[in-house]
Amino acid sequence: MKTIEDLDVAGKRVFVRADLNVPLSDGRITDDGRIRAVAPTIAKLVERGAKVVVASHLGRPKGAPDPQFSLAPVAERLGEILGRPVAFATDTVGGSARSAVAALADGEVVLLENLRFNAGETSKDDAERKAFAEQLAALADLYVGDGFGAVHRKHASVYDLPALLPHAAGDLIATEVGVLKKLTEDVKRPYVVVLGGAKVSDKLGVIDNLLKKADRILIGGGMAYTFLKAKGHEVGISLLQEDQIPTVLGYLAEAEERGVEFVLPVDVLVSAEFPDLKGKTPANPDTVASDEIPADKEGLDIGPKTRELYAAKLADAGTVFWNGPMGVFEHPDYANGTKAVAQALIDSNAFTVVGGGDSAAAVRILGFDETKFGHISTGGGASLEYLEGKTLPGLAALEG
Ligand code: ADP
Ligand code: MG
Protein backbone atom coordinates (compact mmCIF):
# COMPACT_ATOMS: atom_id res chain seq x y z
CA MET A 1 0.00 0.00 0.00
CA LYS A 2 1.42 3.40 -0.97
CA THR A 3 1.55 6.13 1.68
CA ILE A 4 1.20 9.91 1.35
CA GLU A 5 5.00 10.14 1.17
CA ASP A 6 4.84 8.33 -2.19
CA LEU A 7 2.65 11.03 -3.72
CA ASP A 8 3.82 14.35 -5.13
CA VAL A 9 1.05 16.52 -3.73
CA ALA A 10 2.37 20.08 -4.01
CA GLY A 11 -0.05 22.24 -5.99
CA LYS A 12 -2.32 19.23 -6.63
CA ARG A 13 -5.95 18.80 -5.68
CA VAL A 14 -5.94 15.90 -3.21
CA PHE A 15 -9.24 14.18 -2.36
CA VAL A 16 -9.15 12.86 1.20
CA ARG A 17 -11.86 10.31 1.99
CA ALA A 18 -12.14 10.68 5.74
CA ASP A 19 -14.55 9.21 8.28
CA LEU A 20 -16.01 12.25 10.00
CA ASN A 21 -19.12 10.38 11.10
CA VAL A 22 -19.20 11.85 14.60
CA PRO A 23 -22.04 11.58 17.12
CA LEU A 24 -24.26 14.70 17.15
CA SER A 25 -26.86 15.82 19.65
CA ASP A 26 -29.06 18.77 18.61
CA GLY A 27 -26.46 19.72 15.99
CA ARG A 28 -23.60 19.66 18.54
CA ILE A 29 -20.65 17.28 18.22
CA THR A 30 -20.57 15.14 21.37
CA ASP A 31 -17.29 13.36 20.56
CA ASP A 32 -14.75 14.70 18.06
CA GLY A 33 -12.39 11.71 18.19
CA ARG A 34 -12.78 10.89 14.50
CA ILE A 35 -12.04 14.46 13.46
CA ARG A 36 -8.90 14.59 15.60
CA ALA A 37 -7.80 11.20 14.27
CA VAL A 38 -7.66 12.30 10.62
CA ALA A 39 -6.45 15.87 11.25
CA PRO A 40 -2.72 14.95 11.13
CA THR A 41 -3.12 13.56 7.60
CA ILE A 42 -4.83 16.75 6.44
CA ALA A 43 -2.24 18.91 8.23
CA LYS A 44 0.56 17.03 6.50
CA LEU A 45 -1.01 17.57 3.07
CA VAL A 46 -1.51 21.26 3.85
CA GLU A 47 2.11 21.59 4.88
CA ARG A 48 3.19 20.04 1.61
CA GLY A 49 1.19 22.56 -0.39
CA ALA A 50 -1.73 20.43 -1.52
CA LYS A 51 -5.19 21.77 -2.25
CA VAL A 52 -7.10 19.50 0.12
CA VAL A 53 -10.64 18.34 -0.68
CA VAL A 54 -12.03 16.44 2.32
CA ALA A 55 -15.14 14.27 2.04
CA SER A 56 -17.05 12.00 4.40
CA HIS A 57 -20.43 10.54 5.19
CA LEU A 58 -22.38 11.34 8.35
CA GLY A 59 -25.17 9.13 9.64
CA ARG A 60 -27.54 7.38 7.31
CA PRO A 61 -29.42 9.89 5.13
CA LYS A 62 -31.45 8.28 2.39
CA GLY A 63 -29.49 9.33 -0.70
CA ALA A 64 -30.83 12.90 -0.63
CA PRO A 65 -29.97 16.09 1.29
CA ASP A 66 -31.21 16.02 4.89
CA PRO A 67 -30.17 18.96 7.08
CA GLN A 68 -29.89 16.87 10.29
CA PHE A 69 -26.97 15.02 8.67
CA SER A 70 -25.11 18.08 7.39
CA LEU A 71 -21.34 18.14 7.85
CA ALA A 72 -21.37 21.93 8.40
CA PRO A 73 -20.66 21.66 12.18
CA VAL A 74 -17.79 19.30 11.38
CA ALA A 75 -16.17 21.83 9.01
CA GLU A 76 -16.11 24.32 11.83
CA ARG A 77 -14.62 21.85 14.33
CA LEU A 78 -12.05 20.63 11.79
CA GLY A 79 -10.98 24.25 11.28
CA GLU A 80 -10.50 24.70 15.04
CA ILE A 81 -8.42 21.52 15.29
CA LEU A 82 -6.27 22.39 12.27
CA GLY A 83 -5.97 26.01 13.38
CA ARG A 84 -6.82 27.26 9.90
CA PRO A 85 -10.02 28.03 8.00
CA VAL A 86 -11.84 25.14 6.40
CA ALA A 87 -14.21 26.11 3.60
CA PHE A 88 -17.50 24.24 3.35
CA ALA A 89 -19.28 23.26 0.14
CA THR A 90 -23.04 22.92 0.53
CA ASP A 91 -23.14 20.07 -1.98
CA THR A 92 -20.83 17.23 -2.98
CA VAL A 93 -20.39 17.34 -6.75
CA GLY A 94 -22.54 20.35 -7.64
CA GLY A 95 -21.85 24.02 -8.24
CA SER A 96 -20.88 24.80 -4.65
CA ALA A 97 -18.29 22.00 -4.55
CA ARG A 98 -16.86 22.83 -7.98
CA SER A 99 -16.43 26.52 -7.23
CA ALA A 100 -15.07 25.90 -3.70
CA VAL A 101 -12.46 23.49 -5.09
CA ALA A 102 -11.57 25.86 -7.94
CA ALA A 103 -11.04 28.65 -5.39
CA LEU A 104 -8.52 26.65 -3.30
CA ALA A 105 -4.99 28.02 -3.11
CA ASP A 106 -2.11 25.69 -2.26
CA GLY A 107 -2.35 24.61 1.38
CA GLU A 108 -6.08 25.40 1.68
CA VAL A 109 -8.82 23.00 2.75
CA VAL A 110 -12.45 22.49 1.77
CA LEU A 111 -14.91 20.01 3.26
CA LEU A 112 -17.64 18.78 0.94
CA GLU A 113 -21.20 18.13 2.14
CA ASN A 114 -22.24 14.60 3.19
CA LEU A 115 -21.39 12.06 0.47
CA ARG A 116 -24.54 10.10 1.30
CA PHE A 117 -26.74 12.98 0.14
CA ASN A 118 -26.09 11.37 -3.27
CA ALA A 119 -27.73 8.01 -3.95
CA GLY A 120 -24.69 6.95 -6.00
CA GLU A 121 -22.46 6.79 -2.91
CA THR A 122 -24.00 3.67 -1.37
CA SER A 123 -25.73 2.24 -4.47
CA LYS A 124 -25.60 -1.52 -4.99
CA ASP A 125 -25.64 -0.83 -8.72
CA ASP A 126 -22.03 -0.77 -9.96
CA ALA A 127 -22.79 1.64 -12.82
CA GLU A 128 -24.61 4.12 -10.57
CA ARG A 129 -21.77 4.06 -8.07
CA LYS A 130 -19.15 4.46 -10.78
CA ALA A 131 -21.00 7.42 -12.28
CA PHE A 132 -20.89 9.19 -8.91
CA ALA A 133 -17.21 8.27 -8.47
CA GLU A 134 -16.47 9.86 -11.85
CA GLN A 135 -18.11 13.11 -10.72
CA LEU A 136 -15.98 13.05 -7.57
CA ALA A 137 -12.84 12.25 -9.58
CA ALA A 138 -13.38 15.43 -11.61
CA LEU A 139 -12.75 17.42 -8.41
CA ALA A 140 -9.25 16.06 -7.77
CA ASP A 141 -5.90 14.94 -9.15
CA LEU A 142 -4.97 12.48 -6.39
CA TYR A 143 -6.80 10.32 -3.83
CA VAL A 144 -5.88 9.64 -0.23
CA GLY A 145 -7.95 6.99 1.55
CA ASP A 146 -8.06 7.71 5.28
CA GLY A 147 -11.62 6.90 6.33
CA PHE A 148 -10.81 3.77 8.22
CA GLY A 149 -14.31 3.52 9.73
CA ALA A 150 -15.76 3.11 6.22
CA VAL A 151 -13.26 0.75 4.54
CA HIS A 152 -15.61 -2.23 4.96
CA ARG A 153 -18.12 -0.49 2.69
CA LYS A 154 -18.21 -0.98 -1.06
CA HIS A 155 -19.17 2.65 -1.59
CA ALA A 156 -18.31 5.01 -4.46
CA SER A 157 -15.89 7.24 -2.52
CA VAL A 158 -14.28 4.28 -0.75
CA TYR A 159 -14.09 1.62 -3.44
CA ASP A 160 -14.70 3.05 -6.93
CA LEU A 161 -12.98 6.43 -6.70
CA PRO A 162 -9.44 5.19 -5.87
CA ALA A 163 -9.51 3.18 -9.11
CA LEU A 164 -9.91 6.45 -11.04
CA LEU A 165 -7.05 8.46 -9.49
CA PRO A 166 -3.44 7.86 -8.38
CA HIS A 167 -3.93 6.89 -4.74
CA ALA A 168 -2.34 6.20 -1.37
CA ALA A 169 -3.38 5.34 2.16
CA GLY A 170 -3.42 8.12 4.73
CA ASP A 171 -1.61 7.90 8.06
CA LEU A 172 -4.71 6.93 10.03
CA ILE A 173 -5.43 3.91 7.86
CA ALA A 174 -1.77 2.92 8.00
CA THR A 175 -1.84 3.06 11.82
CA GLU A 176 -5.17 1.23 12.14
CA VAL A 177 -4.08 -1.57 9.82
CA GLY A 178 -0.76 -1.87 11.67
CA VAL A 179 -2.58 -2.38 14.98
CA LEU A 180 -5.03 -4.91 13.56
CA LYS A 181 -2.16 -6.84 11.99
CA LYS A 182 -0.61 -7.03 15.43
CA LEU A 183 -3.87 -8.55 16.74
CA THR A 184 -3.91 -11.22 14.07
CA GLU A 185 -0.23 -12.11 13.94
CA ASP A 186 2.04 -12.09 16.99
CA VAL A 187 -0.28 -11.55 19.96
CA LYS A 188 1.03 -11.48 23.49
CA ARG A 189 -1.00 -13.93 25.56
CA PRO A 190 -3.36 -14.30 27.25
CA TYR A 191 -5.38 -12.64 24.47
CA VAL A 192 -8.67 -11.49 25.97
CA VAL A 193 -11.57 -10.21 23.85
CA VAL A 194 -14.46 -8.23 25.34
CA LEU A 195 -17.59 -7.90 23.21
CA GLY A 196 -20.74 -5.91 23.91
CA GLY A 197 -22.90 -3.23 22.38
CA ALA A 198 -26.17 -3.35 20.55
CA LYS A 199 -25.41 -4.44 16.97
CA VAL A 200 -25.62 -8.08 17.94
CA SER A 201 -25.96 -9.74 14.54
CA ASP A 202 -23.15 -7.60 13.10
CA LYS A 203 -20.83 -8.72 15.85
CA LEU A 204 -21.54 -12.41 16.17
CA GLY A 205 -19.56 -13.13 13.01
CA VAL A 206 -16.30 -12.03 14.54
CA ILE A 207 -16.59 -14.61 17.31
CA ASP A 208 -16.17 -17.39 14.78
CA ASN A 209 -12.69 -16.16 13.92
CA LEU A 210 -11.74 -14.99 17.40
CA LEU A 211 -12.40 -18.47 18.76
CA LYS A 212 -9.37 -19.54 16.76
CA LYS A 213 -7.18 -16.73 18.15
CA ALA A 214 -8.30 -15.63 21.62
CA ASP A 215 -7.74 -17.34 24.96
CA ARG A 216 -10.71 -15.77 26.70
CA ILE A 217 -13.90 -14.07 25.48
CA LEU A 218 -16.01 -11.91 27.81
CA ILE A 219 -19.54 -11.03 26.71
CA GLY A 220 -21.58 -8.03 27.87
CA GLY A 221 -23.96 -5.42 26.50
CA GLY A 222 -27.01 -6.33 24.49
CA MET A 223 -25.22 -9.34 23.05
CA ALA A 224 -25.16 -11.14 26.39
CA TYR A 225 -28.89 -11.87 26.40
CA THR A 226 -28.83 -14.00 23.26
CA PHE A 227 -26.16 -16.12 24.96
CA LEU A 228 -28.10 -16.30 28.24
CA LYS A 229 -31.25 -17.27 26.35
CA ALA A 230 -29.30 -19.93 24.43
CA LYS A 231 -28.26 -21.37 27.78
CA GLY A 232 -31.94 -21.70 28.66
CA HIS A 233 -32.35 -18.64 30.89
CA GLU A 234 -35.25 -16.19 30.91
CA VAL A 235 -34.11 -12.82 29.52
CA GLY A 236 -37.38 -10.91 29.87
CA ILE A 237 -37.66 -8.04 27.41
CA SER A 238 -33.88 -7.68 26.94
CA LEU A 239 -32.32 -7.19 23.52
CA LEU A 240 -32.51 -10.63 21.90
CA GLN A 241 -31.54 -12.10 18.54
CA GLU A 242 -33.68 -15.24 18.68
CA ASP A 243 -32.65 -16.45 15.20
CA GLN A 244 -28.99 -16.44 16.26
CA ILE A 245 -29.45 -18.94 19.09
CA PRO A 246 -28.24 -21.95 17.06
CA THR A 247 -25.14 -19.96 15.97
CA VAL A 248 -24.46 -18.94 19.54
CA LEU A 249 -24.80 -22.53 20.79
CA GLY A 250 -22.30 -23.53 18.12
CA TYR A 251 -19.84 -20.94 19.43
CA LEU A 252 -20.22 -22.14 23.01
CA ALA A 253 -19.55 -25.73 21.90
CA GLU A 254 -16.55 -24.74 19.81
CA ALA A 255 -15.11 -22.67 22.66
CA GLU A 256 -15.29 -25.68 24.92
CA GLU A 257 -13.66 -27.90 22.32
CA ARG A 258 -10.81 -25.45 21.75
CA GLY A 259 -10.30 -24.64 25.42
CA VAL A 260 -11.26 -20.99 24.92
CA GLU A 261 -12.72 -19.58 28.11
CA PHE A 262 -16.13 -18.07 27.36
CA VAL A 263 -17.46 -15.81 30.10
CA LEU A 264 -21.04 -14.53 30.43
CA PRO A 265 -22.43 -12.07 32.98
CA VAL A 266 -23.31 -13.61 36.35
CA ASP A 267 -25.51 -10.67 37.33
CA VAL A 268 -27.18 -7.79 35.49
CA LEU A 269 -29.01 -4.53 36.14
CA VAL A 270 -32.63 -4.69 35.05
CA SER A 271 -35.54 -2.32 34.70
CA ALA A 272 -39.07 -2.39 33.32
CA GLU A 273 -38.19 0.45 30.99
CA PHE A 274 -35.39 1.81 28.84
CA PRO A 275 -33.77 4.80 30.60
CA ASP A 276 -34.35 8.45 29.76
CA LEU A 277 -31.14 9.34 27.93
CA LYS A 278 -31.98 13.03 27.52
CA GLY A 279 -33.20 14.13 30.98
CA LYS A 280 -31.21 11.34 32.68
CA THR A 281 -33.87 10.96 35.39
CA PRO A 282 -32.72 8.29 37.87
CA ALA A 283 -33.47 4.80 36.59
CA ASN A 284 -33.30 2.92 39.92
CA PRO A 285 -32.50 -0.47 38.37
CA ASP A 286 -32.57 -3.77 40.27
CA THR A 287 -29.59 -6.10 40.39
CA VAL A 288 -30.47 -9.73 39.65
CA ALA A 289 -28.57 -12.94 38.95
CA SER A 290 -28.28 -13.44 35.20
CA ASP A 291 -30.40 -16.60 35.40
CA GLU A 292 -33.15 -14.80 37.31
CA ILE A 293 -34.17 -11.96 34.98
CA PRO A 294 -37.88 -11.22 35.52
CA ALA A 295 -40.06 -11.78 32.45
CA ASP A 296 -41.22 -8.14 32.38
CA LYS A 297 -37.77 -6.56 32.71
CA GLU A 298 -34.83 -5.78 30.48
CA GLY A 299 -31.12 -6.13 31.17
CA LEU A 300 -29.33 -2.80 30.68
CA ASP A 301 -25.86 -3.27 32.19
CA ILE A 302 -23.67 -5.94 33.74
CA GLY A 303 -23.98 -6.17 37.52
CA PRO A 304 -21.40 -5.58 40.32
CA LYS A 305 -20.27 -9.23 40.57
CA THR A 306 -19.73 -9.33 36.81
CA ARG A 307 -17.75 -6.10 36.94
CA GLU A 308 -15.42 -7.70 39.45
CA LEU A 309 -15.25 -10.96 37.53
CA TYR A 310 -14.41 -9.23 34.23
CA ALA A 311 -11.78 -7.04 35.89
CA ALA A 312 -10.13 -10.19 37.25
CA LYS A 313 -10.30 -11.85 33.81
CA LEU A 314 -8.54 -8.82 32.31
CA ALA A 315 -5.89 -8.34 34.99
CA ASP A 316 -3.36 -10.85 33.60
CA ALA A 317 -4.03 -10.16 29.89
CA GLY A 318 -1.18 -9.68 27.44
CA THR A 319 -3.46 -8.35 24.71
CA VAL A 320 -7.03 -7.04 24.88
CA PHE A 321 -9.46 -6.22 22.08
CA TRP A 322 -12.65 -4.54 23.30
CA ASN A 323 -15.64 -3.74 21.12
CA GLY A 324 -19.02 -2.66 22.42
CA PRO A 325 -20.16 -1.03 25.69
CA MET A 326 -21.23 -3.32 28.56
CA GLY A 327 -24.48 -1.45 29.06
CA VAL A 328 -26.48 1.62 28.13
CA PHE A 329 -23.55 3.82 29.22
CA GLU A 330 -25.31 6.98 27.97
CA HIS A 331 -27.27 6.89 31.25
CA PRO A 332 -25.20 7.20 34.45
CA ASP A 333 -27.09 4.36 36.18
CA TYR A 334 -25.98 1.96 33.42
CA ALA A 335 -22.43 3.21 32.84
CA ASN A 336 -20.64 1.29 35.60
CA GLY A 337 -20.08 -1.90 33.62
CA THR A 338 -18.43 0.00 30.76
CA LYS A 339 -16.41 2.05 33.27
CA ALA A 340 -15.21 -1.09 35.03
CA VAL A 341 -13.98 -2.64 31.79
CA ALA A 342 -12.26 0.60 30.71
CA GLN A 343 -10.53 0.83 34.10
CA ALA A 344 -9.49 -2.85 33.95
CA LEU A 345 -7.87 -2.24 30.55
CA ILE A 346 -5.97 0.72 31.99
CA ASP A 347 -4.90 -1.26 35.06
CA SER A 348 -3.60 -4.22 33.05
CA ASN A 349 -0.17 -4.33 31.46
CA ALA A 350 -1.71 -5.54 28.21
CA PHE A 351 -1.58 -4.03 24.74
CA THR A 352 -5.16 -2.72 24.67
CA VAL A 353 -7.24 -1.90 21.62
CA VAL A 354 -10.70 -0.31 21.82
CA GLY A 355 -12.81 -0.47 18.66
CA GLY A 356 -16.31 0.69 17.78
CA GLY A 357 -17.74 4.17 17.41
CA ASP A 358 -19.74 4.08 20.63
CA SER A 359 -17.08 2.24 22.62
CA ALA A 360 -14.42 4.78 21.67
CA ALA A 361 -16.80 7.65 22.43
CA ALA A 362 -17.79 5.99 25.74
CA VAL A 363 -14.19 5.86 26.92
CA ARG A 364 -13.78 9.59 26.34
CA ILE A 365 -17.26 10.70 27.46
CA LEU A 366 -16.86 8.72 30.72
CA GLY A 367 -13.70 10.70 31.36
CA PHE A 368 -10.92 8.19 30.76
CA ASP A 369 -7.56 9.40 29.48
CA GLU A 370 -7.31 8.02 25.94
CA THR A 371 -3.50 7.95 26.08
CA LYS A 372 -3.80 5.19 28.71
CA PHE A 373 -5.01 2.78 26.02
CA GLY A 374 -2.76 1.12 23.47
CA HIS A 375 -4.97 2.19 20.58
CA ILE A 376 -8.46 3.61 20.22
CA SER A 377 -9.69 2.65 16.80
CA THR A 378 -11.96 4.88 14.73
CA GLY A 379 -13.49 1.80 13.14
CA GLY A 380 -16.20 -0.44 14.55
CA GLY A 381 -17.48 -2.62 11.73
CA ALA A 382 -14.23 -2.16 9.84
CA SER A 383 -12.06 -3.54 12.67
CA LEU A 384 -14.48 -6.40 13.27
CA GLU A 385 -14.55 -7.41 9.61
CA TYR A 386 -10.76 -7.20 9.46
CA LEU A 387 -10.55 -9.51 12.48
CA GLU A 388 -13.11 -11.80 10.84
CA GLY A 389 -10.56 -12.24 8.06
CA LYS A 390 -12.74 -10.59 5.41
CA THR A 391 -11.35 -8.59 2.49
CA LEU A 392 -12.22 -4.94 3.06
CA PRO A 393 -13.19 -3.16 -0.20
CA GLY A 394 -11.62 0.16 0.81
CA LEU A 395 -8.29 -1.46 1.67
CA ALA A 396 -8.29 -3.67 -1.42
CA ALA A 397 -8.88 -0.56 -3.55
CA LEU A 398 -5.83 1.14 -2.02
CA GLU A 399 -3.65 -1.92 -2.67
CA GLY A 400 -4.41 -1.84 -6.39
P1 ADP B 1 -19.94 0.20 18.94
O1 ADP B 1 -20.37 1.45 18.23
O2 ADP B 1 -18.88 0.44 19.97
O3 ADP B 1 -19.59 -0.89 17.99
P2 ADP B 1 -22.68 -0.63 19.25
O4 ADP B 1 -23.08 0.37 18.25
O5 ADP B 1 -22.82 -2.06 18.91
O6 ADP B 1 -21.18 -0.34 19.77
O7 ADP B 1 -23.51 -0.46 20.59
C1 ADP B 1 -23.51 0.70 21.36
C2 ADP B 1 -24.86 0.87 22.02
O8 ADP B 1 -25.20 -0.30 22.73
C3 ADP B 1 -24.88 1.97 23.04
O9 ADP B 1 -25.69 3.02 22.52
C4 ADP B 1 -25.53 1.33 24.27
O10 ADP B 1 -26.52 2.12 24.87
C5 ADP B 1 -26.11 0.07 23.70
N1 ADP B 1 -26.28 -1.03 24.68
C6 ADP B 1 -25.33 -1.58 25.46
N2 ADP B 1 -25.85 -2.53 26.25
C7 ADP B 1 -27.16 -2.59 25.98
C8 ADP B 1 -28.24 -3.37 26.48
N3 ADP B 1 -28.07 -4.27 27.44
N4 ADP B 1 -29.47 -3.16 25.95
C9 ADP B 1 -29.65 -2.23 24.98
N5 ADP B 1 -28.67 -1.47 24.46
C10 ADP B 1 -27.44 -1.64 24.96
MG1 MG C 1 -22.22 2.02 17.35
CSV table of all heavy atoms in Angstrom, one decimal, residues 42-43 46-47 75-76 78-87 106-109:
chain,number,residue,atom,x,y,z
A,42,ILE,N,-4.5,15.5,7.2
A,42,ILE,CA,-4.8,16.7,6.4
A,42,ILE,C,-3.7,17.8,6.7
A,42,ILE,O,-3.3,18.5,5.7
A,42,ILE,CB,-6.2,17.2,6.9
A,42,ILE,CG1,-7.3,16.2,6.5
A,42,ILE,CG2,-6.6,18.6,6.3
A,42,ILE,CD1,-8.6,16.4,7.2
A,43,ALA,N,-3.3,17.9,7.9
A,43,ALA,CA,-2.2,18.9,8.2
A,43,ALA,C,-1.0,18.7,7.4
A,43,ALA,O,-0.3,19.6,6.9
A,43,ALA,CB,-1.9,18.9,9.7
A,46,VAL,N,-1.5,19.8,3.9
A,46,VAL,CA,-1.5,21.3,3.9
A,46,VAL,C,-0.1,21.8,3.8
A,46,VAL,O,0.3,22.6,3.0
A,46,VAL,CB,-2.3,21.8,5.1
A,46,VAL,CG1,-1.9,23.3,5.3
A,46,VAL,CG2,-3.8,21.6,4.9
A,47,GLU,N,0.7,21.2,4.8
A,47,GLU,CA,2.1,21.6,4.9
A,47,GLU,C,2.9,21.4,3.6
A,47,GLU,O,3.8,22.1,3.3
A,47,GLU,CB,2.7,20.7,6.0
A,47,GLU,CG,3.6,21.4,7.0
A,47,GLU,CD,3.8,20.5,8.1
A,47,GLU,OE1,4.7,19.6,8.1
A,47,GLU,OE2,3.0,20.6,9.1
A,75,ALA,N,-17.1,20.9,9.7
A,75,ALA,CA,-16.2,21.8,9.0
A,75,ALA,C,-15.6,22.8,10.0
A,75,ALA,O,-14.4,23.1,10.0
A,75,ALA,CB,-16.9,22.6,7.9
A,76,GLU,N,-16.5,23.3,10.8
A,76,GLU,CA,-16.1,24.3,11.8
A,76,GLU,C,-15.1,23.7,12.8
A,76,GLU,O,-14.1,24.3,13.1
A,76,GLU,CB,-17.4,24.8,12.6
A,76,GLU,CG,-17.2,26.2,13.2
A,76,GLU,CD,-18.5,26.6,13.9
A,76,GLU,OE1,-19.6,26.5,13.3
A,76,GLU,OE2,-18.4,27.0,15.1
A,78,LEU,N,-13.3,21.0,12.5
A,78,LEU,CA,-12.0,20.6,11.8
A,78,LEU,C,-11.1,21.9,11.7
A,78,LEU,O,-9.9,21.8,11.9
A,78,LEU,CB,-12.3,20.0,10.4
A,78,LEU,CG,-11.1,19.7,9.5
A,78,LEU,CD1,-10.3,18.6,10.2
A,78,LEU,CD2,-11.6,19.1,8.2
A,79,GLY,N,-11.7,23.0,11.4
A,79,GLY,CA,-11.0,24.2,11.3
A,79,GLY,C,-10.3,24.6,12.6
A,79,GLY,O,-9.1,25.0,12.6
A,80,GLU,N,-11.1,24.4,13.7
A,80,GLU,CA,-10.5,24.7,15.0
A,80,GLU,C,-9.3,23.8,15.3
A,80,GLU,O,-8.3,24.2,15.9
A,80,GLU,CB,-11.6,24.5,16.1
A,80,GLU,CG,-12.6,25.6,16.2
A,80,GLU,CD,-13.9,25.2,17.0
A,80,GLU,OE1,-13.8,24.2,17.7
A,80,GLU,OE2,-14.9,25.8,16.8
A,81,ILE,N,-9.5,22.5,15.0
A,81,ILE,CA,-8.4,21.5,15.3
A,81,ILE,C,-7.2,21.8,14.4
A,81,ILE,O,-6.1,21.7,14.9
A,81,ILE,CB,-9.0,20.1,15.1
A,81,ILE,CG1,-10.0,19.8,16.2
A,81,ILE,CG2,-7.8,19.1,15.1
A,81,ILE,CD1,-10.8,18.5,15.9
A,82,LEU,N,-7.4,22.1,13.2
A,82,LEU,CA,-6.3,22.4,12.3
A,82,LEU,C,-5.7,23.8,12.5
A,82,LEU,O,-4.5,24.0,12.2
A,82,LEU,CB,-6.7,22.3,10.8
A,82,LEU,CG,-7.1,21.0,10.2
A,82,LEU,CD1,-7.7,21.1,8.8
A,82,LEU,CD2,-5.9,20.0,10.2
A,83,GLY,N,-6.4,24.6,13.1
A,83,GLY,CA,-6.0,26.0,13.4
A,83,GLY,C,-5.9,26.8,12.1
A,83,GLY,O,-5.0,27.7,11.9
A,84,ARG,N,-6.8,26.5,11.2
A,84,ARG,CA,-6.8,27.3,9.9
A,84,ARG,C,-8.2,27.1,9.3
A,84,ARG,O,-9.0,26.2,9.7
A,84,ARG,CB,-5.8,26.7,8.9
A,84,ARG,CG,-6.0,25.3,8.5
A,84,ARG,CD,-5.1,24.8,7.4
A,84,ARG,NE,-3.7,25.0,7.8
A,84,ARG,CZ,-2.9,25.9,7.2
A,84,ARG,NH1,-3.3,26.6,6.3
A,84,ARG,NH2,-1.6,26.0,7.6
A,85,PRO,N,-8.6,28.1,8.5
A,85,PRO,CA,-10.0,28.0,8.0
A,85,PRO,C,-10.3,26.8,7.1
A,85,PRO,O,-9.4,26.4,6.4
A,85,PRO,CB,-10.2,29.3,7.2
A,85,PRO,CG,-8.8,29.9,7.0
A,85,PRO,CD,-7.9,29.3,8.0
A,86,VAL,N,-11.4,26.2,7.3
A,86,VAL,CA,-11.8,25.1,6.4
A,86,VAL,C,-13.1,25.6,5.7
A,86,VAL,O,-14.1,25.9,6.3
A,86,VAL,CB,-12.1,23.8,7.2
A,86,VAL,CG1,-12.8,22.8,6.4
A,86,VAL,CG2,-10.8,23.3,7.8
A,87,ALA,N,-13.0,25.7,4.4
A,87,ALA,CA,-14.2,26.1,3.6
A,87,ALA,C,-15.2,25.0,3.6
A,87,ALA,O,-14.8,23.8,3.8
A,87,ALA,CB,-13.8,26.5,2.2
A,106,ASP,N,-2.9,26.8,-2.8
A,106,ASP,CA,-2.1,25.7,-2.3
A,106,ASP,C,-2.1,25.8,-0.7
A,106,ASP,O,-2.0,26.9,-0.2
A,106,ASP,CB,-0.7,25.8,-2.7
A,106,ASP,CG,-0.5,25.6,-4.2
A,106,ASP,OD1,-1.6,25.2,-4.9
A,106,ASP,OD2,0.6,25.7,-4.8
A,107,GLY,N,-2.3,24.6,-0.1
A,107,GLY,CA,-2.4,24.6,1.4
A,107,GLY,C,-3.7,25.0,2.0
A,107,GLY,O,-3.8,25.1,3.2
A,108,GLU,N,-4.7,25.1,1.1
A,108,GLU,CA,-6.1,25.4,1.7
A,108,GLU,C,-6.9,24.1,1.7
A,108,GLU,O,-6.7,23.2,1.0
A,108,GLU,CB,-6.8,26.5,0.9
A,108,GLU,CG,-6.1,27.9,1.2
A,108,GLU,CD,-6.9,29.0,0.5
A,108,GLU,OE1,-7.7,28.8,-0.4
A,108,GLU,OE2,-6.6,30.2,0.9
A,109,VAL,N,-8.0,24.2,2.5
A,109,VAL,CA,-8.8,23.0,2.8
A,109,VAL,C,-10.3,23.3,2.5
A,109,VAL,O,-10.8,24.3,3.0
A,109,VAL,CB,-8.6,22.5,4.2
A,109,VAL,CG1,-9.4,21.2,4.4
A,109,VAL,CG2,-7.2,22.3,4.6
